Amino acid sequence: MKESKFRRYQVRKKTLIQMNREHPWVFHGSISTAAKIFQDGDWLRLVDGTNETIGFGIYSEDEPIAIRIFHFGDSLRNRFLLKKMREIWKKKKDLLTETDALRLIHGESDLIPGVTVDLYSHVAIVQYYSASTYTLARLISFLLPHVVSEPFAKSIQVRAGTRMGLSSAKTRPPRWTRGSEVTNVTIREGQFHYAVDFAHGQKGGFYLDLRGVRRYLGDCDLEGMEVLNIFAYTGPFSVIALKKGAKRVVSVDQSRHAQDQHLKNLELNGSNSDRDELIRADAFQFLADLDTSQKFDLIIIDPPSLAAKQNQVPLALKKFEQLHRLALRHLKPRSHWFSICCTARMTRDQVVQTVGKVSKDLVGKGETQIVAELPSEIDHTLSKKFPEGNYLTQLVFSNFKEAQES
């Protein structure tokens, strides 16, 4: 990265205040008309009123976020991006003792904005979430082989992120920048193995951010229990429940392809599919139609994101409440449920309040307990300077008061 290739932009005073807090986003409402000369994807050297360099970022022409900042400071060291990627890899590679699939780069939370990198065995998926960061994504894909150890990144794909919402005119087709094209791969996580489909899978192929929930479930004794898995996707929770002794699992998802992958995962792990009842249906409708005599020892509630914009949050909270109201009426006495929320605009407190309201109505006041609150995984970095990255709430509840360890 040669600083001579960066275009100079003098930030306004209110932007300077924001940059002092090291938040990586500058919105279009905070920039001056001088920025109109820039084109989408221009790399900028940001200066203050005294012409002192204070940071470096990438300009977005027609998005709410005008500048994504990737470095705060007056200069860029030699081989800046390569060294930064190696520092991130050093912090996260300890996960390799447990799995061969992890998120190497977590966008703004790792101060590499608008780009994520997921490693799946020997395949790396580089996703960009703004047309302006496509060049950054390509650069990262070329540097990856010099960052990660073998056998990672033998094949590398660069593609648009699933949440980007670009017009067709700005969408670029997925491109394999290294190695041959790979359509699917099998990953390892603890004692389990999962199939990953790159063409049809969510979030690059697999929900790596839910590793902590899978680990927690794998430590549970489910011998003889009945488990309801809502929004089962490709079935990792169901596979684990069967391995941990569940006598019956009901797995609900409306995607035929996800259920095909679910069956593959059962086979990969030597699980008896006769004990896993796969239901292809809308989760809300399934729960509404389910006979109230059907009761479960454990219910896993893991819906997709329910709100893309802040003004959609009230409706999302109503849906989240409705989902829990429909599901928890099927919980046996002295049982547990998982409430997982990946809607970034719903706060942890809102999740707790919504679930608490439902459980109070169905179970009784003071009877619900939070048994565990699972933190984000180390490869899904959290930064106090970028609270928007804290999108995941993972809670385990019981409908009875458990004895606390002294």
Side-chain angles (χ1 to χ4, degrees), residues 353-369:
Q353 290 168 6
T354 301
V355 176
K357 177 183 177 181
V358 174
S359 62
K360 178 182 176 181
D361 292 344
L362 296 181
V363 181
K365 184 177 181 180
E367 295 302 314
T368 301
Q369 181 177 341

Side-chain angles (χ1 to χ4, degrees), residues 131-278:
S132 63
T133 58
Y134 173 74
T135 300
L136 176 61
R138 287 289 305 272
L139 178 56
I140 287 170
S141 76
F142 296 136
L143 293 176
L144 268 176
H146 305 286
V147 174
V148 301
S149 57
E150 290 290 343
F152 294 105
K154 285 187 175 180
S155 292
I156 302 174
Q157 185 191 60
V158 176
R159 72 190 200 189
T162 54
R163 302 188 306 276
M164 195 166 69
L166 290 177
S167 66
S168 58
K170 285 199 170 186
T171 299
R172 298 172 185 262
R175 181 169 181 173
W176 292 90
T177 60
R178 186 174 195 250
S180 56
E181 179 179 351
V182 180
T183 57
N184 56 76
V185 72
T186 299
I187 62 171
R188 168 187 62 85
E189 190 176 277
Q191 62 176 303
F192 299 98
H193 294 83
Y194 303 111
V196 178
D197 184 333
F198 297 120
H200 303 95
Q202 300 291 321
K203 296 191 75 171
F206 194 73
Y207 286 99
L208 297 174
D209 51 357
L210 296 181
R211 187 187 305 110
V213 183
R214 293 189 290 271
R215 188 188 302 116
Y216 184 94
L217 185 62
D219 289 335
C220 294
D221 181 4
L222 304 180
E223 191 66 37
M225 293 188 180
E226 295 181 278
V227 178
L228 174 60
N229 184 9
I230 303 294
F231 301 101
Y233 188 44
T234 59
F237 294 147
S238 301
V239 168
I240 296 170
L242 291 171
K243 281 289 186 179
K244 300 305 293 185
K247 71 176 182 181
R248 176 191 177 214
V249 178
V250 176
S251 305
V252 183
D253 201 281
Q254 63 181 351
S255 167
R256 181 186 299 275
H257 180 267
Q259 291 199 331
D260 289 342
Q261 292 292 104
H262 189 137
L263 291 171
K264 289 182 182 179
N265 285 330
L266 290 172
E267 183 179 355
L268 279 171
N269 292 277
S271 298
N272 185 349
S273 60
D274 293 340
R275 291 188 288 133
D276 189 1
E277 184 180 351
L278 274 64

